Amino acid sequence: MTRHDREAEPLVRQFTVLGLWLLVINGLIGAGIFGVPAEAARLTGIYSPLMFLLCGLLMTPIILSFGEVSSYFHGTGGPIVYTRTAFGPVVGFQTGWTLYASRVTAFGANANLLVSSLAFLWEGADQGATRIALLFLICGGLTWVNVVGAGHAMRSLGLLTLLKLLPLLILVGLGVTWLDARAFPFAERPPPDFGDIGTAALVLMYAYVGFEGALIPAGEARNPKRDMPRALFWALGLVTLLYVLIQAISVAVLPDLENSRRPLIDVGEALMGPAGAILVAAGVVASVGGNIAGAMLSAPRMTYVMARHGTLPAVFGRVSDRYRTPAVSIVLYGGLSFVLGVYGSFAWLAGLTVLARLLIYVLSISAIPYLRRTHPDATDRLLLPGGYLIPALAIAVSVWLIMQVDLAAFLATAVFLAAGGVLYLLARRGQGAAPR
């Protein structure tokens, strides 16, 4: 048991394995699967369903490694606590800073995307004052729900998960009848070259990253050491199967899939007519909504944990006496998300988000040797077979994907980490002592 686990955790432990699974699912299934099928088809053609399977396989050692790392901890914080325990407070803070900033910016961009998707169903929703009002309702409403209690937030998340999965499951159920060998003439089409495979893998990883958000609120899980690994494994298996089927159906239904601006909506229209397009468009709204609802629940716990560690002002670690939630951190996250939703753009964030998360994956998985050495008798831990083979594979996959990122994303990440370092030093100077 780590020192962080021994500290009194004032948050209520109420999340079951189902609640954690919902968080992982909503982290994985966001807007990505509704947009990346066209780019996957452009890069790898009829082989694109296999690319989704490849990405699921590439994620497997990463997920397995996080299953072991998470099994050592009971407290809130996820990767922040993992890296802080193994490498010290500076690395722990930078992990939290990078993860928090990427998620708050992605939240603002996804809220913007949600309003844009609503415009397909409600003309003018993404224009002028209506757009700003909708962004305020989305950010403000989710902020309020999370402040008054995580139990309310989980019920909202469960409903959004059902609404996001239903159109995808209907699409798969109707589309499987289109799958036959004629749609995939592999013998007539040479496989894509290695460069296109690497580029496609990086693009498709947008549909697989995000699970780490579910690791953060472990301090509110009933049995996180047992349930967190289960939630991770079950979610990856379901998501990979769903993605492969969706891409295969998209290739079979739309011969010009690579040219589609809204691939799954076009697939829905081809299968069910205008009603299908509306159904999938509603799925986009529910999917992005569920994604940002999960982010609103998990991401404010980052500033809460960093405040408890003494690397951010103590006010962010305050827990509401009435609702027993980190209200200040939740309100901060909601306010920043609204501002970024109004003024921000998702385009510049894409490379930065994936790069930042891959760096966090490498750091978190690199904590395994330290945790095995210092906690050999930890109860309920998940010890991966094969020694360090699986963690080494996970790091190798992450490094290979990092090598596919362009220089601009590296420079932006370096600037961002430097800014985080300045904030960390200012926080220490303001407290007059090193953080706990």
Side-chain angles (χ1 to χ4, degrees), residues 406-419:
D406 61 30
L407 179 60
F410 278 103
L411 294 177
T413 301
V415 171
F416 199 78
L417 291 175

Side-chain angles (χ1 to χ4, degrees), residues 96-259:
W97 166 248
T98 304
L99 186 56
Y100 178 83
S102 67
R103 289 182 68 83
V104 73
T105 311
F107 185 106
N110 281 340
N112 210 352
L113 176 62
L114 178 57
V115 172
S116 299
S117 301
L118 284 171
F120 182 83
L121 305 171
W122 173 15
E123 187 176 354
D126 58 347
Q127 302 295 321
T130 303
R131 169 179 170 272
I132 295 175
L134 285 173
L135 287 170
F136 180 80
L137 288 174
I138 292 167
C139 298
L142 287 173
T143 298
W144 177 80
V145 166
N146 280 271
V147 166
V148 299
H152 297 289
M154 288 309 303
R155 286 189 288 273
S156 301
L157 193 58
L159 176 61
L160 286 169
T161 302
L162 176 63
L163 292 175
K164 82 155 62 172
L165 287 177
L166 186 60
L168 295 176
L169 294 175
I170 291 174
L171 188 148
V172 168
L174 294 176
V176 290
T177 59
W178 288 67
L179 299 179
D180 58 43
R182 291 173 296 177
F184 302 95
F186 294 117
E188 303 173 9
R189 307 278 181 87
D193 61 40
F194 190 74
D196 285 340
I197 290 175
T199 303
L202 183 65
V203 171
L204 267 57
M205 276 297 166
Y206 286 107
Y208 282 94
V209 298
F211 70 87
E212 67 281 350
L215 303 169
I216 296 165
E220 294 163 270
R222 293 179 182 175
N223 193 337
K225 288 189 175 183
R226 181 196 66 192
D227 293 344
M228 194 69 77
R230 292 181 181 180
L232 289 169
F233 304 155
W234 294 349
L236 178 64
L238 173 64
V239 165
T240 300
L241 176 62
L242 187 62
Y243 285 176
V244 170
L245 288 173
I246 288 172
Q247 185 66 19
I249 291 167
S250 300
V251 170
V253 171
L254 294 180
D256 61 341
L257 174 62
E258 65 272 14
N259 297 318

